[in-house]
Structure formats: C-alpha cells, structure tokens
Amino acid sequence: MSTIHLNTIIKANIQTVFDLARDIDLHQKSTSKTNEKAIAGITSGLIEKDETVTWKAKHLGVVQTLTTKIVSMDKPHQFTDIMLKGTFKSMKHQHIFKQEGKNTIMTDIFEFQSPLGIIGKIFNKLFLENYMKDFLLERNELIKTTAESIMSHEVTI
C-alpha cells in the first residue's frame, strides 16, 4: 500500500475550503490535463455522504473510469472517499480540514494499492506515487487559489 500525505495552507475559512474540496465542477477544472469528466452519479455541484461519482479520464495514455463513494463526512472537518470500481486494487482518500486563525489547513491522506502484486509495487515506487502526488498538488493549488480569491472578494465588498 502506498500513502501520500499532503498539507496545504489556505488563507480562507474552513467552510469555503471544505465545499471547494467536494465540488465536482471545480475538480473537473483541476484535471483538465487528463480531461477528467464526471459521467455518472453526482456529476455537478457538491457531493455528499453516501453519494457516488464515476470519473472518466485519460491517465498514462489510457482512458480509465473510476467510481468513488463518500463513506464518511463530518462537515466541515472531514470527508473520506473510497474506490468502488477502477484500476487500483484499492483506494481511500481522506480529506481533513482544520481552522487555524484565518487559515485552513487542508490535509490529504491518499492510500492506494495497485494490482499485479510485486510488479504493481515496483510501478508504484518508480512512477505512480509521484504521478498521484503531482495530480493531488495540482488539484489542491486550484482549491487554494479559488478559496483565497473568494475570500479577497468578500473582504473588499
């Protein structure tokens, strides 16, 4: 099992960051390089507990689908999604939010296991862990810039 742990400091309130992190439309914008689209389940707006979304995207030159379900949610402090169907052997993504002063600390704990036994483990270490980390960092950067933009507009109005 591989685990990616990321912390992103965002100059915005916890509710704004929490909502942006579960916004299907914003996620699609953050994944424009892979042309990721929500094709089933919740395909727009904010995803909630017990809801699913199926994504279709081109990763590593191959068109893939991934269905995830939100299995826990404590607004605005955390939500967790797991893979129901997809190319990973397993996948779990915890999204944790903590307000610290005027900032929100957004933590991602992304755990995944590739199929194919030892070959999958080698592929994870050599390539997939960095690929997934970069994918999450790009998503987090859009959440950060969007949240901070919202907050700066609220302050000036």
Side-chain angles (χ1 to χ4, degrees), residues 2-8 88 93 108 110 112 124 127-141:
S2 295
T3 302
I4 297 168
H5 189 253
L6 300 172
N7 286 314
T8 307
F88 291 113
H93 188 176
D108 291 276
F110 186 79
F112 65 97
N124 281 359
F127 183 75
L128 194 55
E129 285 180 18
N130 285 332
Y131 179 85
M132 293 308 302
K133 182 178 180 181
D134 290 345
F135 183 81
L136 292 171
L137 286 169
E138 193 165 323
R139 172 189 164 274
N140 290 358
E141 184 59 30

Side-chain angles (χ1 to χ4, degrees), residues 82-119:
I82 61 167
M83 181 191 77
L84 298 179
K85 295 179 188 172
T87 56
F88 291 113
K89 185 174 180 182
S90 66
M91 187 211 81
K92 178 181 177 182
H93 188 176
Q94 297 175 70
H95 310 256
I96 303 164
F97 307 86
K98 183 177 179 186
Q99 188 80 48
E100 287 192 1
K102 293 183 179 182
N103 296 331
T104 297
I105 310 300
M106 181 174 69
T107 300
D108 291 276
I109 302 171
F110 186 79
E111 301 169 284
F112 65 97
Q113 189 173 6
S114 295
L116 306 175
I118 191 71
I119 294 169

Side-chain angles (χ1 to χ4, degrees), residues 15 18-25 40-55 68-82 84 95:
Q15 187 66 54
F18 180 82
D19 287 346
L20 290 172
R22 59 194 183 98
D23 187 311
I24 300 295
D25 303 298
I42 302 302
T43 59
S44 186
L46 302 180
I47 194 162
E48 299 287 348
K49 185 176 187 285
D50 295 326
E51 293 182 333
T52 63
V53 59
T54 299
W55 301 100
T68 61
K69 179 179 182 177
I70 305 297
V71 294
S72 74
M73 183 177 289
D74 174 20
K75 295 179 181 180
H77 304 287
Q78 70 84 22
F79 68 94
T80 300
D81 58 280
I82 61 167
L84 298 179
H95 310 256

